[in-house]
Amino acid sequence: MLRVFNTLSRTKEDFQPVVPGKVGMYLCGPTVYKPSHIGHMVGPVIFDTIKRYLTYSGYDVTWVVNITDVDDKLINESNARGIPMSAVAEEMTTDYKNNLAAMGVDTINVFPKATDYIQEIIQFTSDLIEKGFAYESEGDVYYDVAKFSEYGKLSNRTLEQMSGEGGGTADRKRSTFDFALWKSAKPGEPSWDSPWGKGRPGWHIECSVMSCSLLGETFDVHGGGLDLQFPHHENEIAQSEARNGKPMAKYWMHNGLMQASNEVGKVGGRKTREAGSEAKEGDLASQEAGKISKSKGASAFRDLLKKFQPENIRFFLLSSHYRRPIDYSEERLAEVGKGMEGFYRFFKRYEELTGESFYDLTAPKTRADGDAFESSAQWGAFDEFGAHVKGLRARFIEAMDDDFNTAGGIGVLFDFLRALNKFVEDQKLAESPNPAALDALRAGATVFKELAQTLGLFRAPVPEEKAADDALVEPLMQLIIDLRRNAKKNKDFATADEIRDRLKALGVALEDRPGGVCVWSRE
RNA sequence: GGCGUCGUAGCCAAAUGGCUAAGGCAACGGAUUGCAAAUCCGUCAUUUACCGGUUCGAAUCCGGUCGACGCCUCCA
């Protein structure tokens, strides 16, 4: 039974969608005014994994991620750069989507833009005024927080608790905590006609409108970063539930935030900004030293992609539980990358043994198919290995069923890797390939792939950095390896070792395998 | 000040009442190898910040102490 932690109840609940078999999922996406940094990838990678696992579990999932393309920050950026707001939005949306693609996040069904829903937003706002939950004030429209008795239920706070703190002046608002549904336009600002004059939507309203329009008045999963819990999600609930008179979402899921290691506060957090340090913008090294001055802290994600394989980053994000904050550092990323090498080596080994690519294996796409595969697989004389594989699969599913424990699942994947390698060793497959044993290995690798694909991992070969001159290098390497083999035959180990050592210094590794085979690779 | 989270080995990180406290990185033995690399086997937390309590039983629940954070203001 799949269980998920619901912020509303602050407990793990059995997962039962509103409509059996179907899941509607909404994730608050970015405001597209600056290039995304690694923090922006946390939610998408986690919810992509959640969608994969729900799909694996037999659900038909529709996933929506909004793009906020109208907002004060966008207007500022547009003015600063002297280009239209829409141009800023378009550029940053492309950056965002490129980053998602690199991370393997390709399961999002709809990317609605706020500016495509202006009429619906106006209608929604009118409805709230009509129902007495909102009021107009000098061209602005505000939500009247006092009218919504359940205000604060998500973030567990009450208006009484909040009153007494500083806050700004109420100016056009009845209460400091009222928030804008519609903002009147100042001269020169992008605007749309409305019953209250020219203006633009407030920040929270678009999510209520678009989620309702695309997923219905009550949908299953609403996600986002922990920082959005208040006020953003609280306000969404106030808007949607006041208008529709029913719960907005059944399960609210919040992911922990990325923090810079050795750093006070999260990446781009308030404290780091107030620290007022003088680090160079976007400099990862200075960021790790704990000096972030850029308002968004981290450097652009697209720059990080130049230093690390996308899959390395994805693996890193999934290697701790989604609700916990992640400490970011390049050291951590590199350490995770080191751990991943064992998997890649096994895939290579698998290919050498079977003549087939691991990546071409057809793995069961759903849990039910996996159950069927598991019981029909030909373990032959290797039923002990088969039983081991079954146990591993059960452990993996148990971890993922428990609020998407990807860290636990990855732990099982490492155990699985050892089991696979041990089978190859025990059966001496490299020395004497035995068709029946290779079938069992293939079955084991298939189950491994079935599990890994729910995490969105090991879907395609990591692109090798083929240098332009490989057409020459390949035969040259064969020449060197042949000469070294002759040296070894003559017991001239000094020469053989010198060749290996000097190649190593050039960044080329030689590995001797059983049967006198030698393989080389760039490091 | 209000609400909330966290503190597990040298580092990272699972497990939230009950079999031996997963797994990774690092380190150290052994098998294998001409030597390496890779792989496999083994060692690496009598104990979960600290103190006290509840319980037959606690890393897990309760109270306190210390420490690190988040939100309350734009943020994934």
Side-chain angles (χ1 to χ4, degrees):
Chain A
M1 187 66 195
L2 183 58
R3 283 156 44 88
V4 305
F5 184 88
N6 189 349
T7 306
L8 267 180
S9 65
R10 293 180 194 260
T11 57
K12 285 180 193 168
E13 299 177 12
D14 288 346
F15 185 74
Q16 281 174 327
V18 178
V19 178
K22 290 195 185 301
V23 175
M25 196 161 98
Y26 187 93
L27 177 71
C28 286
T31 300
V32 282
Y33 74 108
K34 289 271 190 189
S36 33
H37 64 254
I38 187 168
H40 291 116
M41 294 296 116
V42 177
V45 166
I46 286 162
F47 284 89
D48 174 72
T49 303
I50 288 173
K51 169 160 181 182
R52 287 176 195 280
Y53 193 71
L54 288 174
T55 304
Y56 174 71
S57 300
Y59 294 105
D60 179 13
V61 187
T62 303
W63 182 23
V64 177
V65 177
N66 70 289
I67 300 287
T68 300
D69 61 347
V70 51
D71 171 272
D72 290 351
K73 294 193 291 293
L74 269 148
I75 293 171
N76 293 341
E77 187 71 9
S78 144
N79 290 338
R81 295 178 57 186
I83 58 175
M85 183 174 80
S86 57
V88 174
E90 203 171 309
E91 180 186 327
M92 296 310 163
T93 301
T94 300
D95 174 73
Y96 183 71
K97 289 187 178 176
N98 287 344
N99 295 152
L100 293 184
M103 294 309 289
V105 177
D106 55 8
T107 58
I108 298 169
N109 299 93
V110 195
F111 276 111
K113 296 192 296 184
T115 54
D116 285 341
Y117 283 80
I118 299 294
Q119 289 318 309
E120 288 88 340
I121 288 171
I122 289 171
Q123 185 59 52
F124 201 105
T125 303
S126 299
D127 292 348
L128 283 171
I129 293 177
E130 205 169 296
K131 294 197 172 200
F133 286 98
Y135 56 92
E136 190 207 343
S137 175
E138 299 175 45
D140 293 346
V141 178
Y142 293 101
Y143 189 94
D144 193 346
V145 167
K147 296 276 168 57
F148 188 67
S149 61
E150 293 183 314
Y151 193 76
K153 68 177 175 183
L154 180 70
S155 53
N156 189 28
R157 65 188 77 201
T158 62
L159 290 172
E160 295 78 64
Q161 279 172 358
M162 291 191 291
S163 62
E165 61 177 82
T169 52
D171 55 63
R172 303 180 194 178
K173 299 189 280 186
R174 292 177 187 169
S175 155
T176 331
F177 306 108
D178 290 353
F179 54 91
L181 300 175
W182 188 262
K183 293 177 165 183
S184 55
K186 298 189 190 80
E189 287 183 347
S191 65
W192 290 263
D193 288 322
S194 82
W196 319 287
K198 285 188 176 298
R200 64 176 185 277
W203 173 36
H204 315 290
I205 189 70
E206 69 194 74
C207 287
S208 282
V209 170
M210 296 190 291
S211 64
C212 180
S213 170
L214 292 163
L215 298 171
E217 295 184 345
T218 299
F219 53 94
D220 301 291
V221 178
H222 191 132
L226 201 55
D227 52 344
L228 294 183
Q229 195 179 98
F230 187 91
H232 185 56
H233 289 163
E234 199 70 71
N235 292 351
E236 282 186 45
I237 288 176
Q239 293 163 344
S240 293
E241 303 194 354
R243 176 183 182 263
N244 300 328
K246 53 184 75 163
M248 181 184 186
K250 200 168 175 190
Y251 305 98
W252 286 82
M253 299 180 67
H254 292 98
N255 59 270
L257 303 174
M258 175 77 64
Q259 295 172 205
S261 200
N262 307 321
E263 179 52 62
V264 184
K266 67 186 179 186
V267 174
R270 178 171 37 146
K271 289 189 178 167
T272 58
R273 270 184 286 156
E274 286 175 352
S277 54
E278 300 295 325
K280 284 181 290 243
E281 286 200 351
D283 180 351
L284 272 173
S286 71
Q287 177 187 319
E288 284 183 299
K291 292 174 183 165
I292 304 171
S293 64
K294 193 173 177 179
S295 67
K296 272 293 178 187
S299 64
F301 188 71
R302 60 184 174 222
D303 292 332
L304 192 62
L305 285 174
K306 292 173 192 158
K307 300 175 91 166
F308 291 93
Q309 289 292 341
E311 187 156 66
N312 186 346
I313 300 172
R314 183 173 178 115
F315 199 97
F316 166 68
L317 294 178
L318 294 176
S319 62
S320 64
H321 189 91
Y322 78 87
R323 278 191 280 121
R324 300 194 61 178
I326 312 172
D327 278 342
Y328 169 82
S329 77
E330 294 201 3
E331 283 72 19
R332 196 91 303 127
L333 221 34
E335 186 182 302
V336 164
K338 195 141 200 176
M340 295 179 77
E341 283 173 15
F343 292 105
Y344 296 128
R345 274 193 293 263
F346 171 76
F347 301 151
K348 202 174 235 177
R349 194 177 197 189
Y350 179 84
E351 186 160 356
E352 287 164 5
L353 292 169
T354 65
E356 308 157 8
S357 167
F358 167 82
Y359 298 101
D360 290 340
L361 283 172
T362 304
K365 295 284 184 229
T366 66
R367 207 151 155 166
D369 289 350
D371 291 342
F373 177 83
E374 188 182 74
S375 48
S376 70
Q378 298 302 305
W379 303 108
F382 313 103
D383 50 349
E384 196 176 322
F385 173 62
H388 194 175
V389 167
K390 286 180 192 178
L392 257 4
R393 180 172 177 271
R395 276 175 59 205
F396 181 90
I397 289 172
E398 189 184 358
M400 287 296 285
D401 269 354
D402 184 12
D403 196 28
F404 309 102
N405 184 354
T406 56
I410 283 177
V412 176
L413 252 28
F414 275 104
D415 282 342
F416 209 139
L417 173 65
R418 193 181 308 120
L420 256 11
N421 274 322
K422 186 170 167 53
F423 185 72
V424 173
E425 295 286 311
D426 288 351
Q427 301 306 319
K428 302 205 185 317
L429 287 180
E431 294 82 353
S432 55
N434 157 1
L438 286 177
D439 282 345
L441 178 67
R442 189 177 294 107
T446 299
V447 174
F448 176 89
K449 192 174 187 195
E450 172 194 344
L451 306 182
Q453 74 190 355
T454 71
L455 298 177
L457 292 172
F458 310 132
R459 297 165 64 196
V462 172
E464 280 194 49
E465 295 192 19
K466 282 275 179 198
D469 57 1
D470 267 12
L472 175 62
V473 171
E474 184 60 43
L476 280 178
M477 283 306 302
Q478 282 315 314
L479 171 66
I480 294 168
I481 287 170
D482 285 346
L483 291 174
R484 179 166 173 272
R485 183 183 298 125
N486 288 338
K488 283 174 65 178
K489 239 176 226 162
N490 298 329
K491 305 277 184 204
D492 180 5
F493 296 121
T495 302
D497 290 350
E498 186 183 349
I499 291 171
R500 190 171 62 199
D501 291 345
R502 291 181 64 178
L503 284 173
K504 178 98 181 167
L506 295 172
V508 174
L510 291 187
E511 288 181 33
D512 292 324
R513 299 282 172 80
V517 179
C518 181
V519 297
W520 72 277
S521 60
R522 291 171 191 269
E523 291 190 319

